[in-house]
């Protein structure tokens, strides 16, 4: 199986939708995905994710299956922290970001949220919920997570191409659970741009699979269509 994770296009967060640039990004990623096709398309229930998925669905004449657990409103409840008068993602808070890489946190491994300076937040609740929901999702696709080994048992092998259109904030915890990489490492050292495409291969090796990232947040479709390749409004590469 090839699993495609696509972040939504350039957004307007209120009201929840895409900008004109975001719509062009959605068209560009649709052309890329349509080259080889998909067998299943899933989408977060947010408008910006569904609008990003729609051009792909139109080209492939498919209907997306909504996944409410992929909606970013859920990780926002657990992976955000106060910063002055506002709330921000933990990975965007300078103090928390540095703490995530403190040896005292790293040595806790998968139970990083038990650190004395992190227990005040609801990180554990968010991790456990995402693991539970992500494991159920991949089990429905034929892959049973053996969490303590970081592998998957291939219950029903397939050669399908499966796409999920969702978010950055959700994607960072979702992919960290999928790949068994502790969230503090994943969310601070990996990222995804608007409409960026991540491809993960589930290869059957005698009934066991170790998911492998083939490409992370690729924006080749933007380059192909002559669209700006700005990284989240910060710089161009």
């Amino acid at each position: 199986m090839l699993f495609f994770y696509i972040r939504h296009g350039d957004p307007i967060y209120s009201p929840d939708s895409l900008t004109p640039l975001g719509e062009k990004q959605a068209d560009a990623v649709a052309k890329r995905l349509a080259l080889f096709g998909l067998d299943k398309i899933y989408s977060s229930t947010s408008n910006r994710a569904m609008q990003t998925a729609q051009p792909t669905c139109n080209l492939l004449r498919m209907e997306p299956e909504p996944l409410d657990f992929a909606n970013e409103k859920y990780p926002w409840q657990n992976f955000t922290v106060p910063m002055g008068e506002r709330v921000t993602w933990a990975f965007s808070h300078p103090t928390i970001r540095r703490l995530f890489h403190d040896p005292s946190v790293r040595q806790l491994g998968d139970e990083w949220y038990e650190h004395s300076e992190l227990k005040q937040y609801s990180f554990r609740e968010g991790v456990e919920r995402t693991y539970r929901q992500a494991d159920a999702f991949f089990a429905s696709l034929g892959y049973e997570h053996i969490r303590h080994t970081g592998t998957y048992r291939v219950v029903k092998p397939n050669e399908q191409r499966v796409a999920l259109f969702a978010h950055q904030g959700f994607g960072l915890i979702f992919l960290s659970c999928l790949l068994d990489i502790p969230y503090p490492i994943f969310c601070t050292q990996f990222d995804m741009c608007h409409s960026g495409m991540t491809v993960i291969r589930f290869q059957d090796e005698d009934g066991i699979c170790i998911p492998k990232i083939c490409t992370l947040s690729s924006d080749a479709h933007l380059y192909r269509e002559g669209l700006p390749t700005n990284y989240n409004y910060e710089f161009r590469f």
Side-chain angles (χ1 to χ4, degrees):
M1 181 177 77
L2 286 180
F3 179 71
F4 298 77
Y5 187 92
I6 303 99
R7 185 187 179 190
H8 60 72
D10 187 55
I12 301 172
Y13 287 106
S14 182
D16 178 16
S17 59
L18 295 180
T19 66
L21 174 59
E23 293 174 352
K24 293 178 181 178
Q25 291 171 338
D27 288 337
V29 79
K31 293 177 183 178
R32 183 176 180 181
L33 288 167
L35 285 175
F36 299 102
L38 295 170
D39 297 290
K40 294 180 180 178
I41 300 175
Y42 296 89
S43 173
S44 156
T45 51
S46 74
N47 287 333
R48 58 190 181 276
M50 291 189 290
Q51 289 174 5
T52 304
Q54 195 57 54
T56 299
C57 293
N58 292 344
L59 284 180
L60 295 177
R61 299 181 181 179
M62 298 173 65
E63 291 294 327
E65 182 173 337
L67 286 184
D68 187 59
F69 85 84
N71 194 304
E72 197 160 65
K73 65 183 179 182
Y74 299 116
W76 180 259
Q77 297 170 4
N78 301 115
F79 297 97
T80 54
V81 297
M83 188 168 73
E85 297 182 355
R86 64 188 182 93
V87 174
T88 188
W89 290 105
F91 56 78
S92 295
H93 192 293
T95 302
I96 299 295
R97 187 166 59 244
R98 288 193 296 270
L99 180 59
F100 275 173
H101 282 267
D102 189 277
S104 62
V105 173
R106 293 173 72 95
Q107 70 182 4
L108 291 173
D110 291 338
E111 296 185 346
W112 58 271
Y113 43 74
E114 295 293 348
H115 189 275
S116 59
E117 295 184 51
L118 297 175
K119 291 181 72 172
Q120 61 181 301
Y121 305 111
S122 59
F123 295 143
R124 177 173 184 167
E125 177 186 344
V127 169
E128 291 180 345
R129 182 190 65 248
T130 307
Y131 258 118
R132 182 172 62 254
Q133 295 171 331
D135 286 356
F137 173 67
F138 285 106
S140 73
L141 297 173
Y143 298 87
E144 180 183 287
H145 198 178
I146 310 172
R147 195 181 305 178
H148 70 281
T149 65
T151 64
Y152 287 73
R153 181 177 293 107
V154 183
V155 178
K156 186 179 180 181
N158 68 72
E159 296 298 325
Q160 292 184 330
R161 299 166 63 90
V162 178
L164 169 57
F165 291 79
H167 311 267
Q168 175 200 39
F170 169 77
L172 293 177
I173 180 60
F174 175 75
L175 294 181
S176 78
C177 291
L178 161 60
L179 298 167
D180 291 292
I181 300 173
Y183 177 72
I185 295 175
F186 198 89
C187 74
T188 56
Q189 296 189 264
F190 300 90
D191 206 353
M192 53 190 70
C193 61
H194 293 130
S195 81
M197 178 192 297
T198 296
V199 184
I200 300 176
R201 185 184 186 191
F202 285 69
Q203 183 177 11
D204 185 351
E205 299 178 356
D206 297 322
I208 294 295
C209 165
I210 302 175
K212 183 176 184 179
I213 290 183
C214 302
T215 186
L216 177 66
S217 193
S218 170
D219 65 352
H221 50 283
L222 302 182
Y223 181 80
R224 173 65 177 81
E225 295 300 311
L227 295 173
T229 54
N230 291 335
Y231 168 74
N232 297 344
Y233 316 117
E234 296 179 22
F235 57 89
R236 179 175 293 185
F237 58 91

